[in-house]
Amino acid sequence: MLSFPLIFTGLTAALALMSIGGGLYEFSVVDPVWPERRDLIQPDLGGLSRRRFWIPAHTAFEIALIVTLVACWSIPDARLWLIIALAAHLVMRVWSAFDFIPKALAFERLTSTAMDQDAARRWAQRSRLRLPLDLVVGLSMLLAFATVIRSL
């Protein structure tokens, strides 16, 4: 039987997994190349716009997570997994807001041909450290979803 908690927990888990996929794509396809080809991450020069994916992806996940927390609050085991997902996501978002996003925007805005490729490579390598947090979020969401299924 479909229920509001089941639907939203499944949706939120799917959004968390989508975020993992986006991160895997970035650091396996985009990040190895762009330090030598900065135009690849510069939308004004025909490159990809990371914000066209990440802003809607994070916004949808965060809204869905809040709704899911409210919907599942009366299911203690699911609530625990959702709080773990929320905490890991918050750590990743705060870290991104103060470190990764400002530097990514600076790389996108560079107009001179001289770019510090070593700094770009270091940024790309550090960016991979966000993946474990995304994995915690994704696994926690899957465990919350499984808990909701068992509670039906």
Side-chain angles (χ1 to χ4, degrees), residues 115-135:
M115 179 176 73
D116 186 350
Q117 290 184 356
D118 288 333
R121 279 191 209 88
R122 283 191 305 274
W123 180 94
Q125 289 174 340
R126 272 193 353 271
S127 181
R128 291 181 180 199
L129 297 175
R130 293 182 289 179
L131 181 63
L133 290 169
D134 277 336
L135 291 173

Side-chain angles (χ1 to χ4, degrees), residues 16-27:
L17 296 175
M18 184 178 75
S19 186
I20 292 170
L24 289 171
Y25 174 79
E26 274 199 12
F27 80 66

Side-chain angles (χ1 to χ4, degrees), residues 1-13 67-82 140-152:
M1 174 177 176
L2 290 180
S3 68
F4 190 73
L6 179 66
I7 291 168
F8 266 89
T9 308
L11 171 66
T12 308
V67 171
T68 302
L69 266 165
V70 171
C72 295
W73 196 256
S74 63
I75 308 169
D77 291 338
R79 180 176 62 223
L80 172 65
W81 291 118
L82 293 169
S140 297
M141 287 308 311
L142 289 173
L143 290 168
F145 185 55
T147 301
V148 171
I149 290 172
R150 281 194 313 268
S151 73
L152 296 178

Side-chain angles (χ1 to χ4, degrees), residues 13-96:
L15 290 169
L17 296 175
M18 184 178 75
S19 186
I20 292 170
L24 289 171
Y25 174 79
E26 274 199 12
F27 80 66
S28 63
V29 175
V30 178
D31 289 351
V33 180
W34 78 259
E36 288 80 29
R37 295 249 346 258
R38 68 180 169 87
D39 60 309
L40 291 177
I41 59 155
Q42 294 181 319
D44 293 342
L45 299 176
L48 66 92
S49 173
R50 293 179 184 199
R51 67 187 105 185
R52 289 181 74 186
F53 173 79
W54 287 114
I55 291 173
H58 284 303
T59 302
F61 173 75
E62 290 157 4
I63 291 169
L65 181 57
I66 292 166
V67 171
T68 302
L69 266 165
V70 171
C72 295
W73 196 256
S74 63
I75 308 169
D77 291 338
R79 180 176 62 223
L80 172 65
W81 291 118
L82 293 169
I83 290 171
I84 291 170
L86 176 65
H89 184 72
L90 282 174
V91 167
M92 189 269 304
R93 293 292 285 147
V94 168
W95 184 18
S96 293

